[in-house]
Amino acid sequence: MSLSAALVFALPSQRKHLKRRFRRGSQLIAVLVVGSIVLAMVNLLVASGPWQSEPLREMAIQVTLVFAFGMAIFAITNQIVPVVPQSQQRVVLAIGAHPDDLEIACGATLAKLADTGHEVHVLVMSNGAVGGDEAVRENEAMRGARFMGAKSVVTHSLPDTKLSDSTNEMVQAIEERVTVLNPDLIFTHSEHDQHQDHHAVHFATLRAARRHSSILCFESPSVTRKFNPAVFIDVADYIGVKVHAVAQHADQKGKPYMTEENLKGIAAFRGNQAKTKYAEGFEPVRLLGSAIGVF
């Protein structure tokens, strides 16, 4: 992996029909081993004792061929995403103001990081009570984060639309997660965001993670024209995953920025900047090379 003006992750898709495929080869290997053992036992029975007969032998051969062919097709169609070596696996903390912020802003990136073996954790500051049903939205945050592959999801019920009044509480909540997780990389809102809650979370993160070496700011629908990403993640194979993760937030489905067309449009624009089909863009507050497995 190399770092330049644009950082691009390029890995194959890992979901079939938007469901998680084998992250590692262990499941497929287990199926092949068990199947091979069963077929070997069948062939031994056919080749000896009372089971020995030409029709049974031919049937065993046909079953073996069908099984081998089926496993070959299965292995090809279910691409196995290579997992990064353990020495390169990173702990990632993504911080959002509202239940759907992370899925909308960087859902494809988080899913991709989780699928390739990195440990992703989610922290949400409010339950979005002003913008919808708070109980429903909190459950949707859980579903969306789990679909992206998050290892943990922590949600708070700080006052929606008034997070700036709870700066100290947010700083404490973020500090606690940073202390527990010791993340290599933190994702949060941008300074260049006109939503007051997003803006508040950005500065709370900077305070709480003031000694942290790698912070990337994501793009939400409310960023201003000053949002200027310099780090890009190639999500060409994960745009469908992002769309489906956002769709978990059915309580917000009437919002224009939740549509597949809008999500793909922004990803296509950032992809054009990064010279790939779809990308998600990030503003680095600072980025240490070792946080992404290089230098």
Side-chain angles (χ1 to χ4, degrees), residues 28 31-33 35-36 65-77:
L28 179 57
V31 171
L32 290 171
V33 170
S36 298
L65 291 174
V66 169
F67 179 85
F69 182 76
M71 285 298 99
I73 295 299
F74 183 82
I76 292 172
T77 57

Side-chain angles (χ1 to χ4, degrees), residues 142-264:
M142 294 288 183
R143 289 201 300 272
R146 286 168 181 161
F147 183 79
M148 291 187 297
K151 185 173 181 179
S152 74
V153 185
V154 175
T155 62
H156 291 276
S157 299
L158 297 175
D160 187 14
T161 73
K162 297 180 180 180
L163 288 181
S164 59
D165 295 338
S166 304
T167 297
N168 290 337
E169 290 86 343
M170 287 196 296
V171 170
Q172 182 179 356
I174 297 169
E175 285 180 338
E176 288 176 354
R177 296 306 286 160
V178 170
T179 299
V180 170
L181 299 173
N182 189 27
D184 298 285
L185 181 62
I186 295 175
F187 289 101
T188 191
H189 290 279
S190 169
E191 175 185 3
H192 303 118
D193 197 311
Q194 60 190 0
H195 194 297
Q196 66 273 22
D197 283 352
H198 298 176
H199 204 252
V201 169
H202 170 79
F203 285 105
T205 301
L206 295 194
R207 278 183 54 187
R210 56 194 175 278
R211 295 187 180 88
H212 198 279
S213 59
S214 297
I215 303 174
L216 293 179
C217 300
F218 48 69
E219 179 177 20
S220 80
S222 52
V223 295
T224 69
R225 289 187 298 170
K226 290 184 178 180
F227 182 82
N228 186 27
V231 174
F232 297 89
I233 309 299
D234 184 341
V235 296
D237 293 317
Y238 275 76
I239 190 64
V241 175
K242 175 172 183 166
V243 170
H244 190 75
V246 171
Q248 299 299 307
H249 298 271
D251 186 77
Q252 301 292 295
K253 65 181 179 181
K255 304 293 177 64
Y257 52 78
M258 304 285 284
T259 65
E260 180 175 351
E261 180 182 14
N262 186 274
L263 295 169
K264 287 186 174 180

Side-chain angles (χ1 to χ4, degrees), residues 87 89 94 112 136 157 280 284:
S87 61
Q89 291 176 7
K112 188 173 210 176
V136 171
S157 299
E280 289 177 337

